């Protein structure tokens, strides 16, 4: 059995993730973020862009390999200032409207710079994030999202030809994800190195861990590429499912779906153990980036503390204290990823 990618998103604690504890569990990759580099113009580099390099350097010094989520151009989230959920744009207005050629030219150059600057740190890029859903494309159409993916990927390729590239729709069979996969893999067959996808069976979506078999088979046949699971996981709070509840647990405190009985720490640990065994042994799967390392204090959807929607996905408690899911991850990664 050849060794596969085992990574994790360290969003919390953002600058205090315990890399030693990760490595002890066989987690050798960390999934980093990136900021748009240009400020008032292309010669003005933003502080946020520079700040990420401290994280890259720290992770490398700790012995971690790094995957990077390239910048997200727009989205939909809770705005603390207005106390509302609303769309936003993270690329400066001078870069042009989403329907302008200028916007995609700037996208290419920004991606090229990111890839050039991170050559010593980043081995793999996830090209932006889940642009089949409004949360990560905002007011962009799906066709504009597809054009953005291609422009950004071409820039990353130009900046670092050796880095591995792929995209990660939130759904593998929706109408919008089909448009994105077509643009990135069928219309540009040599652009991407792997095919990615995210999935949360038994929480955000109905289903079970074994559904990954169908996903991997479908995407490998569609693209001919090895499959990387860019995000998967299970929350430890939410309790019994509420099938007739709201689409997001923010408003009712429960998910509509559950893997077995509901979202608890024990069910999270069992889910992790089952998923790791499958993803490290099933054909045509090159590995996974688990979501996530630590629990978050505030939900980015609604701004509430301790909201099941986004606050309890960690295999640690947010202060690097292991939950049962950490030990489930460790036991199975060390057993199956040799």
């Amino acid at each position: 059995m050849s060794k596969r990618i085992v990574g994790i998103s360290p969003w919390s604690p953002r600058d205090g993730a315990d890399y030693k504890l990760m490595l002890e569990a066989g987690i050798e990759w960390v999934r980093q973020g990136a900021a748009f580099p240009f400020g008032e113009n292309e010669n003005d580099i933003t502080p946020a862009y520079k700040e990420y390099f401290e994280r890259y350097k720290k992770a490398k010094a700790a012995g971690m390999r790094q995957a990077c989520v390239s910048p997200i151009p727009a989205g939909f989230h809770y705005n603390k200032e207005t106390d509302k959920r609303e769309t936003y744009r993270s690329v400066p207005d001078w870069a042009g409207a989403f329907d302008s050629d200028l916007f995609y030219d700037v996208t290419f150059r920004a991606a090229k710079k990111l890839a050039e600057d991170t050559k010593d740190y980043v081995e793999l890029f996830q090209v932006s994030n889940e642009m089949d859903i409004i949360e990560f494309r905002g007011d962009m159409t799906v066709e504009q999202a597809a054009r953005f993916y291609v422009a950004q990927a071409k820039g990353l390729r130009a900046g670092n030809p050796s880095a591995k590239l792929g995209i990660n729709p939130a759904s593998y069979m929706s109408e919008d994800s089909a448009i994105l996969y077509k643009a990135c893999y069928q219309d540009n067959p040599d652009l991407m190195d792997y095919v990615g996808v995210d999935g949360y069976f038994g929480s955000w979506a109905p289903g079970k861990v074994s559904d990954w078999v169908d996903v991997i088979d479908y995407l490998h046949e569609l693209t001919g590429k090895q499959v990387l699971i860019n995000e998967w996981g299970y929350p430890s709070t939410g309790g019994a499912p509420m099938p007739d509840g709201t689409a997001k647990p923010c408003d009712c405190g429960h998910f509509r779906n559950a893997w077995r009985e509901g979202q608890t720490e024990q069910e999270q640990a069992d889910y992790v153990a089952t998923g790791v065994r499958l993803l490290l042994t099933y054909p045509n799967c090159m590995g996974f980036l688990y979501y996530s390392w630590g629990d978050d204090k505030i939900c980015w959807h609604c701004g509430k503390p301790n909201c099941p929607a986004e606050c309890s996905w960690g295999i640690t408690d947010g202060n690097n204290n292991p939950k049962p899911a950490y030990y489930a991850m460790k036991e199975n990664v060390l057993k199956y990823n040799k």
Side-chain angles (χ1 to χ4, degrees):
M1 184 191 307
S2 60
K3 208 166 189 181
R4 302 186 183 189
I5 290 174
V6 173
I8 202 159
S9 297
W11 298 162
S12 178
R14 180 72 70 166
D15 292 307
D18 190 331
Y19 294 130
K20 182 174 182 291
L21 204 60
M22 290 182 191
L23 290 169
E24 288 175 358
I27 301 169
E28 299 179 343
W29 289 73
V30 61
R31 179 175 175 246
Q32 303 280 25
F36 189 78
F38 305 143
E40 294 183 1
N41 54 60
E42 293 189 29
N43 295 316
D44 176 37
I45 306 304
T46 65
Y49 179 80
K50 296 175 183 178
E51 287 170 6
Y52 270 102
F53 284 81
E54 295 306 311
R55 295 175 187 159
Y56 305 150
K57 292 174 184 176
K58 185 176 180 181
K60 182 177 181 179
M64 301 297 295
R65 300 177 72 177
Q66 298 180 73
C68 181
V69 181
S70 54
I72 297 165
F76 181 82
H77 65 177
Y78 171 76
N79 186 331
K80 185 177 180 180
E81 294 181 359
T82 62
D83 194 30
K84 295 179 180 179
R85 302 175 196 175
E86 57 191 28
T87 58
Y88 68 92
R89 171 183 166 129
S90 55
V91 177
D93 289 341
W94 61 258
F98 296 143
D99 61 354
S100 69
D101 291 340
L102 174 62
F103 179 78
Y104 301 97
D105 291 341
V106 173
T107 292
F108 174 91
R109 292 193 292 274
K112 184 173 183 288
K113 176 173 178 56
L114 172 64
E116 289 173 341
D117 291 347
T118 58
K119 276 183 179 179
D120 291 338
Y121 308 107
V122 175
E123 298 178 56
L124 180 148
F125 281 101
Q126 173 193 299
V127 184
S128 199
N129 188 65
E130 293 186 351
M131 293 190 74
D132 54 324
I133 59 176
I134 188 176
E135 282 80 0
F136 298 105
R137 72 169 191 257
D139 293 327
M140 298 178 79
T141 67
V142 68
E143 290 79 14
Q144 290 167 344
R147 188 178 178 188
F148 176 85
Y149 265 147
V150 171
Q152 192 174 70
K154 287 182 176 180
L156 294 170
R157 178 70 72 212
N160 183 359
S162 66
K164 304 300 183 185
L165 309 180
I167 67 170
N168 69 319
S171 171
Y172 76 106
M173 285 192 73
S174 71
E175 291 183 6
D176 284 356
S177 65
I179 292 171
L180 301 179
Y181 282 129
K182 181 178 183 299
C184 293
Y185 295 92
Q186 296 167 332
D187 296 346
N188 293 275
D190 299 321
L191 182 58
M192 303 293 183
D193 300 287
Y194 70 87
V195 57
V197 69
D198 296 353
Y200 293 95
F201 299 115
S203 54
W204 287 117
K208 49 195 179 298
V209 177
S210 58
D211 289 348
W212 281 115
V213 168
D214 293 335
V215 177
I216 294 166
D217 287 348
Y218 175 83
L219 291 177
H220 179 66
E221 183 176 351
L222 178 71
T223 67
K225 309 287 185 181
Q226 288 287 296
V227 180
L228 177 68
I229 311 304
N230 297 72
E231 287 186 27
W232 71 283
Y234 199 79
S236 61
T237 62
M242 186 179 291
D244 297 326
T246 53
K248 291 183 178 180
C250 306
D251 302 314
C252 67
H254 299 266
F255 287 89
R256 288 177 175 175
N257 310 291
W259 178 45
R260 290 177 175 165
E261 296 182 3
Q263 284 76 36
T264 65
E265 285 200 358
Q266 186 57 54
E267 187 153 323
Q268 181 192 42
D270 293 343
Y271 190 98
V272 166
T274 304
V276 169
R277 289 195 295 268
L278 188 154
L279 298 177
L280 292 182
T281 59
Y282 196 72
N284 300 316
C285 180
M286 61 188 283
F288 62 80
L289 304 171
Y290 188 83
Y291 189 88
S292 65
W293 175 248
D295 288 346
D296 287 295
K297 294 180 180 179
I298 301 295
C299 175
W300 64 265
H301 291 292
C302 65
K304 298 175 186 175
N306 304 315
C307 175
E310 291 295 341
C311 294
S312 66
W313 294 90
I315 60 173
T316 71
D317 66 358
N319 293 307
N320 292 309
N321 297 308
K323 294 159 65 175
Y326 169 85
Y327 297 105
M329 175 76 73
K330 179 178 181 178
E331 177 183 354
N332 287 280
V333 170
L334 295 181
K335 180 177 181 180
Y336 290 101
N337 202 35
K338 298 179 180 179

